[in-house]
Amino acid sequence: MTPTNVTLAEHPVRRRPGQSRRRALWTGTTALALVAVLAACTGNTPAPPSASATATATSAPTASAAPTPSATSTPTSLPSASDDFSSIDLTVPPPRPDALDAPPSKEAAADVATYFALLFSYSAVTHDLRAFDDLSHPECGFCSDFIDEIRGYEAQGVTTEGGAIVVQRADARMQSDDYFIVTTTMSQDSSRELDADGEVTGKNAGFAAKTFEIDVTWYDGSWLVASVVPT
């Protein structure tokens, strides 16, 4: 059985109360790149909190066409600001940030989004999905499709080499008291996939300084990723 390609570029649907799908899904085929997983996936993401839970106009836009507040630059505390992919050991999980235990804030949201991005390549190489799954909202289409893909790879004996991700910048803006959109700039190393016989079945050249919006929410006392959208 020939594996399908996994990459980092779906655009699960981000919806707000009373709105239909705001972003169309696009398609594409590449190997492990984050940009391509996004292109290959479909699914819905949970709607942000209702209007009654939104923050004041100075910190969050409403569901109308009100201007979006400027993002606040939030440097990440995770060691991911270097483009030296060779120094990244993808068999070792990225360090768990203190932000996962912190209450809602733009700073915590930025760290959570960064951690999630780093988990992507670690999970693809090791097939260890525990942390990625724990951080994924049940209605995150990108998340569930990636998890299904990696489980399929595990069953087929497909392995991934390369694909490390580094995050150069993570800027969070507040949509409500517990819902944030993190504009994340990252790069990904080249990668390839091999079948159970060691034959190369897919390659990806990687990418440099692409931007994604990662929606994170403080949901039932925990941080969860609700959506990943390339910009």
Side-chain angles (χ1 to χ4, degrees):
M1 180 175 179
T2 302
T4 56
N5 290 326
V6 181
T7 54
L8 173 67
E10 179 231 324
H11 8 276
V13 181
R14 181 188 297 153
R15 290 185 290 178
R16 295 181 181 180
Q19 288 184 322
S20 59
R21 293 186 174 187
R22 184 158 71 89
R23 296 177 186 260
L25 301 179
W26 23 300
T27 59
T29 55
T30 52
L32 170 70
L34 177 59
V35 173
V37 168
L38 289 174
C41 301
T42 60
N44 294 336
T45 56
S50 63
S52 63
T54 55
T56 61
T58 58
S59 60
T62 65
S64 67
T68 301
S70 59
T72 299
S73 178
T74 310
T76 175
S77 62
L78 298 177
S80 58
S82 170
D83 284 315
D84 182 10
F85 297 115
S86 65
S87 66
I88 301 173
D89 184 352
L90 289 177
T91 66
V92 177
R96 185 182 187 277
D98 293 340
L100 287 177
D101 302 314
S105 71
K106 287 187 287 188
E107 291 76 14
D111 273 0
V112 169
T114 299
Y115 177 60
F116 185 79
L118 300 182
L119 280 174
F120 175 86
S121 49
Y122 164 76
S123 300
V125 167
T126 65
H127 298 176
D128 178 4
L129 291 163
R130 290 171 295 179
F132 189 96
D133 195 8
D134 287 346
L135 196 52
S136 301
H137 192 284
E139 295 183 25
C140 173
F142 164 75
C143 307
S144 60
D145 286 345
F146 175 71
I147 289 168
D148 289 346
E149 200 76 58
I150 295 303
R151 286 174 176 164
Y153 279 19
E154 179 70 14
Q156 299 167 34
V158 175
T159 56
T160 297
E161 295 178 348
I165 288 173
V166 295
V167 176
Q168 289 90 14
R169 188 181 182 93
D171 299 331
R173 66 183 187 270
M174 180 183 290
Q175 291 292 94
S176 73
D177 290 342
D178 54 9
Y179 199 95
F180 303 81
I181 296 176
V182 184
T183 301
T184 310
T185 303
M186 64 185 80
S187 300
Q188 186 173 31
D189 194 12
S190 60
S191 62
R192 64 178 189 169
E193 295 164 340
L194 298 87
D195 64 18
D197 297 322
E199 297 294 325
V200 176
T201 60
K203 293 182 179 181
N204 186 269
F207 58 82
K210 286 189 178 294
T211 302
F212 300 83
E213 288 186 346
I214 301 178
D215 292 17
V216 295
T217 179
W218 179 255
Y219 182 83
D220 197 24
S222 298
W223 284 104
L224 293 174
V225 171
S227 176
V228 182
V229 183
T231 62

